[in-house]
Amino acid sequence: MAFRQALQLAACGLAGGSAAVLFSAVAVGKPRAGGDAEPRVVEQPAWAGAGRPGPGVWDPNWDRREPLSLVNLRKRNLDSGDDDVTSRIDHCKAKATRHIFLIRHSQYHVDASRDKDRTLTPLGREQAELTGLRLASLGLKFNKIVHSSMTRAVETTDIISKHLPGVSTVSTDLLREGAPIEPDPPVSHWKPEAVQYYEDGARIEAAFRNYIHRADAKQQEDSYEIFICHANVIRYIVCRALQFPPEGWLRLSLNNGSITHLVVRPDGRVALRALGDTGFMPPDKISRS
């Protein structure tokens, strides 16, 4: 079998992760005597495989916030003489559940060459209104809205936030659209240059580490947070959060203005309650551009 190195990515580690270099190698099938090619095998990047349990085994310390990993078992409390490991572990345990709502931006003018000109279409503005109404109808006390700094995400946020008065908004470049990791299987109509995976992949992985994790031990109440960004970013985050192979992100599909709901429990377990929900939109208002 002939091997070809396909990709090298660098990922910075936020929210408890250290900087890492990501490598992905593709094994290209060499035709056999009968003409059939061997199956294409894609190795996971270093961050996805090193030090983790085997396939199908949940890694409880995926966000590096497992209480036992935060406690120095050799350190004794010199002030109180307390060497009770259990109490120190309990002090580091999360108590609240995080509800994370990932919203894809609404339809926009895809033909514009500059980001500032890629504004929402009239349909896109209608979609954002419907998404805002849907979120408001849930009756939840949303804590904040974090959104991508790209024009289409900013405009979607402006419309949705009108339906959620009092909820603060924060812009970030980490959630901008990009190419997170080479998809498997590959597609012929979308082939970014290797340098784009190198640059975007590290940033999007940093967004995952920064925003997707169990609640801080000091958080007492469940939180409800909205992240308004892009299809590639959301699909990658879902795969990472569920500990599915991240290369499979392009197998998922998200409509404009759709709602994806992730739940992160205090023990670090993650559940997907909704993926790309647009059931609240009339059929003629649904799009995927």
Side-chain angles (χ1 to χ4, degrees), residues 43-60:
E43 295 181 6
Q44 288 193 348
W47 57 258
R52 285 186 52 188
V57 179
W58 179 258
D59 177 11

Side-chain angles (χ1 to χ4, degrees), residues 17-36:
S18 59
V21 178
L22 315 184
F23 298 95
S24 177
V26 179
V28 180
K30 183 178 181 180
R32 300 171 181 167
D36 295 331

Side-chain angles (χ1 to χ4, degrees), residues 49-256:
R52 285 186 52 188
V57 179
W58 179 258
D59 177 11
N61 196 29
W62 60 274
D63 58 352
R64 300 302 182 265
R65 292 174 183 241
E66 182 70 15
L68 190 60
S69 71
L70 301 176
V71 174
N72 185 346
L73 299 179
R74 297 183 179 181
K75 185 177 180 181
R76 182 185 178 92
N77 190 320
L78 299 179
D79 294 331
S80 64
D82 178 18
D83 59 354
D84 185 355
V85 175
T86 302
S87 64
R88 284 186 283 154
I89 292 176
D90 288 341
H91 181 73
C92 295
K93 284 184 177 179
K95 305 171 185 65
T97 295
R98 293 185 66 206
H99 292 264
I100 298 170
F101 293 83
L102 301 164
I103 313 298
R104 188 190 176 198
H105 61 79
S106 302
Q107 186 189 71
Y108 68 105
H109 294 284
V110 298
D111 295 331
S113 58
R114 298 180 299 178
D115 176 66
K116 69 176 185 178
D117 298 323
R118 293 176 177 175
T119 56
L120 298 185
T121 64
L123 173 59
R125 302 189 71 81
E126 289 185 66
Q127 291 169 338
E129 292 283 359
L130 291 169
T131 303
L133 287 169
R134 173 58 176 170
L135 291 170
S137 72
L138 298 178
L140 301 174
K141 184 180 178 181
F142 289 105
N143 300 80
K144 62 180 178 180
I145 298 175
V146 181
H147 64 86
S148 159
S149 57
M150 298 188 82
T151 300
R152 53 191 182 272
V154 172
E155 292 191 346
T156 300
T157 300
D158 289 341
I159 296 173
I160 289 178
S161 62
K162 293 178 182 178
H163 297 278
L164 302 171
V167 180
S168 62
T169 61
V170 179
S171 177
T172 177
D173 290 340
L174 288 179
L175 293 174
R176 292 173 72 91
E177 185 63 301
I181 189 173
E182 184 181 13
D184 183 42
V187 292
S188 59
H189 62 277
W190 187 74
K191 290 186 176 181
E193 297 293 331
V195 67
Q196 188 172 351
Y197 288 119
Y198 181 88
E199 295 174 352
D200 294 348
R203 172 179 54 77
I204 297 172
E205 171 64 14
F208 169 78
R209 297 188 187 190
N210 193 41
Y211 296 120
I212 312 300
H213 52 77
R214 73 193 76 186
D216 188 273
K218 297 179 181 179
Q219 182 177 323
Q220 298 296 321
E221 299 181 353
D222 294 352
S223 58
Y224 301 87
E225 306 158 50
I226 297 172
F227 294 85
I228 301 176
C229 48
H230 310 270
N232 294 0
V233 177
I234 294 173
R235 291 181 287 185
Y236 177 83
I237 285 176
V238 168
C239 288
R240 285 285 281 116
L242 297 177
Q243 297 187 23
F244 292 163
E247 300 89 351
W249 65 270
L250 198 52
R251 304 172 202 171
L252 307 178
S253 181
L254 300 175
N255 293 333
N256 295 116

